[in-house]
Amino acid sequence: MEISSKTDDVKVEHRSSLRETVVESGRAFTRRIRWIDIGFIVLFVVLLIYTALTSENFFTERNISNILRQNVPNGLISLGMLFVILTGGIDLSVGSVVALAAILTAGLQADTSIPVAIAVALGASAACGLFNGIMVARFKLEPFIVTLATMGAIRGGVFVISDTPQMPADPAFRRILGGFVGGGGWLDSLAVAAVIMLACFPLAWIFLNRTTTGRAVVAIGGNKEAVRLAGINVESKIILVYVLSAFLSGMAGILLAARLGISQPSLGSAYELDAIAAVVIGGGVMGGGGGGALGTLGGVFTLGLINNLLNLQNVQSYYQQIVKGAIILFAVLARRKQR
Amino acid sequence: MNPKKLLSLLIMVTVLLAVAVPMQVIAQDDNTLRIGMVNLTQSAPYFIGMSRAVEEEAAVYENIELIITDANGDIAKLTSDVEDVLAQDVDGIIISAGWIEAAPAALDAIQQAGVPVVLVDRLLKDGEYTSWIGPDNFTIGVQDGEYIVERLGGEGLLVVLRGGPADNTIGLDRTNGVLSIVEASNIEVVMAPDFGNWSEDGGFTLMEDMLAQHDQIDAVFCENDSMCLGAQKAIEDAGRSDEMFLVGVDGQKEALVAIMEGTNYAATGLNNSDQIGRAAFHRLMAILAGATAPKDTAFPSPRITIDNVIKYYNPDSVF
């Protein structure tokens, strides 16, 4: 008995030093700035200048407010997607979770209070993430397949539980979460949802860079086996990122229902694509091994800005899709060269 | 940054600008009327036809500038598109809301901006709009239902193919219209359990399954013509064309041909997006000129059968 406990002590000591190394390498990952990131910052600035020069309606309070508000769902979903991608996974079910949360919030408001409706929606969203996480971490299934399956199943469930084509949201809920901060001046055009979304990014940065769990998440994508050997519970971290992803998607759904004033079961279709694009443009590497919160925020707004710019320039939707596709391809191509 | 990296960055920026630069800076001429055409989707010929009709009518006038958007079926993007169009100081907006039922935030934004909004095709609930022009889908269904009951003499089995998904009310209205008439007769109704997604191949697959399940089918109703065209092929492949007839909705060109040729494609209800689009454009122009427009205008949707099909057939139409 005594001998074995001694060896355990040695192991623990050895593990904790390994753990520090892993955590350090995780930190290094998020800190390294690559030329491609500078490239995208330049692209972002060029876009801004170009738009300002060609469209007199761009730098108006209304338009800036629009851009901020329009990117709330993608901002939150992309953040969750970033966590998942950092661990080498992917979450295709985010759009369906958006619909689930939106339908539950709007649907339950009629029978219960708004906070209860929101709590149930967030709980259900997190449960979806828990299921994804357990399937991936414990049953060792391909994240792509697991979340592809839940993407379809959750969407089907949403259609089953929503007995009407569209559910109107409570006016009070709409006013609070779908409205503006208010208080005079520019605060009148600052959406509450935008504040919530923007606040999540520094929190995510702190999580990824200043907490042991966050650094482990980053390190898992780099070398899962090394992290496991360091005595870090990889399974629980992987489950955590899927829960976070679903939770943030649930928040996106709730804020979307508040903004639109209604919710419908087909809400959030194909949102996973924009989120993956934002993460990749922001420096995320598919399969893990790179990416950070601030980069993702940049990715979200680069995409959002391109959308808005092309709309203001009256560029047809089909061309918009080509431009977006080209940018995503360049982002991936450039990063592949880097490695 | 080494030269290679700089080069690929340059390529990136160039591609972007190459697409953006030819789109000229919008002339801020006082004489120019700016109109927004906001589409929920351009995924079906019906909706493309609607947008094209507005485009063609606007092109007649030199000082009308049309801003067209397409939300790819996403109601959140539709709302953003409305905001982006409003940010360009448009004089009026036409909304083709596809299959959605309500878009309160989008309508609120327009109301705040104080520009007139004309809804086409879809009548959006719970919001202020200036005028609506579109088909009365329930009435089209009723017409189809009357035809089915009359032709079957109130007896037999009717199969219904729905477009889906369940959050569209256009299909629901049409089917409910049919059911409101058929349910008063002795006709037995069987709904295909799955959705045909409004497409020919969807209708084909659904009909194959229904044919396998039922030895005797007397009539088929489809929520649109595309699905009925697919179903007709499945029935033909099964060698059961003489057993049943088909009734659809829309007046799609291919369906009109099938009716004209005297096949078992028996009837459809006209729902002409080209005419509705043109009417909506002129409705908006009249409103901008100061006319007081009627709030709701249901476009006439006559029933089309072999007796009158020649009046509605236009070989040059898009849809």
Side-chain angles (χ1 to χ4, degrees):
Chain A
M1 270 321 250
E2 284 216 339
I3 295 166
S4 83
S5 100
K6 229 179 191 174
T7 34
D8 272 357
D9 280 351
V10 174
K11 261 188 191 165
V12 167
E13 207 172 288
H14 176 61
R15 273 184 177 171
S16 71
S17 74
L18 240 176
R19 193 182 199 132
E20 259 163 41
T21 322
V22 166
V23 162
E24 272 313 302
S25 78
R27 195 207 301 246
F29 254 129
T30 46
R31 283 210 178 150
R32 194 189 306 155
I33 292 180
R34 303 160 186 214
W35 75 267
I36 186 71
D37 300 323
I38 297 166
F40 274 100
I41 292 166
V42 171
L43 174 72
F44 193 78
V45 173
V46 168
L47 266 174
L48 274 177
I49 295 172
Y50 177 74
T51 317
L53 289 177
T54 52
S55 174
E56 63 173 42
N57 299 310
F58 182 75
F59 275 112
T60 57
E61 199 174 301
R62 180 165 66 175
N63 195 48
I64 302 295
S65 158
N66 285 348
I67 296 174
L68 273 177
R69 196 147 80 131
Q70 289 165 5
N71 287 292
V72 167
N74 195 31
L76 291 170
I77 300 167
S78 300
L79 198 50
M81 188 68 80
L82 166 73
F83 297 148
V84 174
I85 286 179
L86 277 171
T87 65
I90 193 145
D91 188 351
L92 300 180
S93 68
V94 288
S96 300
V97 173
V98 165
L100 177 71
I103 284 288
L104 282 176
T105 328
L108 292 173
Q109 278 169 5
D111 307 319
T112 61
S113 65
I114 297 172
V116 171
I118 291 175
V120 171
L122 287 176
S125 304
C128 293
L130 188 65
F131 181 85
N132 282 336
I134 289 173
M135 286 296 142
V136 171
R138 207 144 290 169
F139 292 91
K140 310 277 181 261
L141 299 179
E142 253 324 295
F144 187 90
I145 303 299
V146 170
T147 57
L148 185 70
T150 49
M151 166 171 124
I154 295 167
R155 178 75 62 191
V158 172
F159 272 104
V160 170
I161 59 172
S162 64
D163 44 5
T164 53
Q166 284 185 338
M167 286 184 194
D170 191 302
F173 165 68
R174 221 186 131 187
R175 220 171 24 247
I176 300 163
L177 285 178
F180 297 96
V181 175
W186 60 276
L187 285 173
D188 283 339
S189 345
L190 185 64
V192 174
V195 176
I196 295 174
M197 185 268 278
L198 290 174
C200 286
F201 279 87
L203 288 179
W205 187 89
I206 293 167
F207 169 67
L208 290 176
N209 293 281
R210 293 280 178 269
T211 68
T212 319
T213 310
R215 285 182 205 157
V217 164
V218 176
I220 286 171
N223 190 341
K224 196 181 279 181
E225 215 36 54
V227 178
R228 200 188 309 277
L229 288 174
I232 292 171
N233 187 341
V234 173
E235 268 186 26
S236 72
K237 304 290 178 292
I238 289 181
I239 292 173
L240 176 72
V241 293
Y242 284 93
V243 171
L244 280 175
S245 171
F247 186 83
L248 286 164
S249 302
M251 272 175 71
I254 291 165
L255 294 175
L256 204 52
R259 164 163 142 80
L260 299 176
I262 50 141
S263 72
Q264 61 174 152
S266 58
L267 209 63
S269 300
Y271 278 22
E272 62 280 354
L273 299 180
D274 268 3
I276 294 166
V279 172
V280 169
I281 290 173
V285 177
M286 302 296 287
L294 300 183
T296 300
L297 185 66
V300 168
F301 279 101
T302 304
L303 266 185
L305 199 63
I306 291 166
N307 264 333
N308 181 261
L309 163 80
L310 296 179
N311 263 350
L312 289 189
Q313 299 285 341
N314 205 3
V315 177
Q316 261 200 353
S317 166
Y318 305 128
Y319 293 104
Q320 295 199 13
Q321 291 171 31
I322 295 173
V323 172
K324 276 202 269 182
I327 289 172
I328 293 162
L329 273 182
F330 273 116
V332 178
L333 207 63
R335 287 213 175 76
R336 201 193 54 169
K337 267 193 200 161
Q338 185 78 28
R339 278 190 291 168
Chain B
M1 242 188 256
N2 73 36
K4 241 188 195 170
K5 290 166 183 174
L6 198 67
L7 186 70
S8 42
L9 176 67
L10 270 175
I11 294 171
M12 229 159 53
V13 176
T14 316
V15 167
L16 198 89
L17 292 186
V19 180
V21 167
M23 319 298 156
Q24 283 145 13
V25 181
I26 297 157
Q28 302 283 337
D29 188 345
D30 280 346
N31 266 335
T32 302
L33 266 185
R34 284 198 193 168
I35 306 299
M37 173 74 202
V38 180
N39 292 291
L40 175 71
T41 176
Q42 295 281 270
S43 64
Y46 178 84
F47 297 115
I48 296 172
M50 186 93 68
S51 194
R52 289 265 167 83
V54 173
E55 216 174 321
E56 277 179 31
E57 289 295 323
V60 172
Y61 309 92
E62 239 177 40
N63 62 336
I64 287 182
E65 192 205 331
L66 191 66
I67 301 157
I68 304 170
T69 65
D70 168 16
N72 297 319
D74 180 359
I75 182 173
K77 184 168 188 303
L78 178 94
T79 306
S80 302
D81 284 348
V82 164
E83 289 170 349
D84 286 347
V85 166
L86 286 173
Q88 297 180 70
D89 297 321
V90 289
D91 298 285
I93 287 183
I94 299 172
I95 301 183
S96 168
W99 51 80
I100 60 169
E101 231 197 0
L107 290 177
D108 282 0
I110 296 170
Q111 207 196 352
Q112 267 176 15
V115 300
V117 51
V118 173
L119 305 176
V120 285
D121 182 52
R122 192 85 208 119
L123 178 58
L124 292 175
K125 284 197 303 203
D126 303 327
E128 284 301 312
Y129 57 92
T130 319
S131 195
W132 165 77
I133 299 179
D136 182 345
N137 286 304
F138 187 82
T139 305
I140 296 175
V142 168
Q143 284 175 178
D144 278 353
E146 284 167 352
Y147 180 86
I148 292 166
V149 172
E150 210 174 292
R151 183 152 166 185
L152 289 182
E155 305 269 344
L157 181 77
L158 169 70
V159 166
V160 174
L161 304 187
R162 293 169 300 167
D167 65 344
N168 91 90
T169 49
I170 292 171
L172 274 179
D173 285 349
R174 291 175 183 176
T175 293
N176 287 339
V178 171
L179 295 181
S180 72
I181 299 296
V182 171
E183 276 171 351
S185 71
N186 288 325
I187 295 171
E188 191 191 337
V189 180
V190 177
M191 299 266 217
D194 203 1
F195 297 114
N197 298 319
W198 307 103
S199 68
E200 263 197 63
D201 58 324
F204 187 91
T205 315
L206 273 188
M207 197 63 220
E208 275 186 332
D209 294 347
M210 299 313 282
L211 286 166
Q213 276 175 49
H214 301 278
D215 295 331
Q216 174 68 38
I217 298 171
D218 303 292
V220 180
F221 168 73
C222 313
E223 286 181 353
N224 78 345
D225 282 336
S226 283
M227 288 191 294
C228 253
L229 286 164
Q232 195 187 25
K233 288 198 186 90
I235 296 166
E236 201 182 313
D237 287 356
R240 292 168 68 175
S241 295
D242 295 334
E243 180 185 321
M244 67 198 91
F245 62 90
L246 300 111
V247 175
V249 181
D250 274 350
Q252 189 179 333
K253 199 161 70 176
E254 292 77 11
L256 297 185
V257 171
I259 294 173
M260 213 168 355
E261 286 173 349
T263 64
N264 61 341
Y265 207 122
T268 189
L270 182 69
N271 175 26
N272 193 322
S273 68
D274 185 69
Q275 287 174 1
I276 292 170
R278 285 174 208 278
F281 176 82
H282 292 295
R283 172 67 53 91
L284 181 60
M285 287 303 117
I287 292 166
L288 290 175
T292 312
K295 183 102 173 167
D296 297 333
T297 308
F299 216 72
S301 301
R303 180 204 287 164
I304 302 173
T305 62
I306 195 161
D307 298 328
N308 63 355
V309 62
I310 196 71
K311 271 202 326 205
Y312 302 100
Y313 179 66
N314 171 14
D316 300 327
S317 86
V318 184
F319 181 53

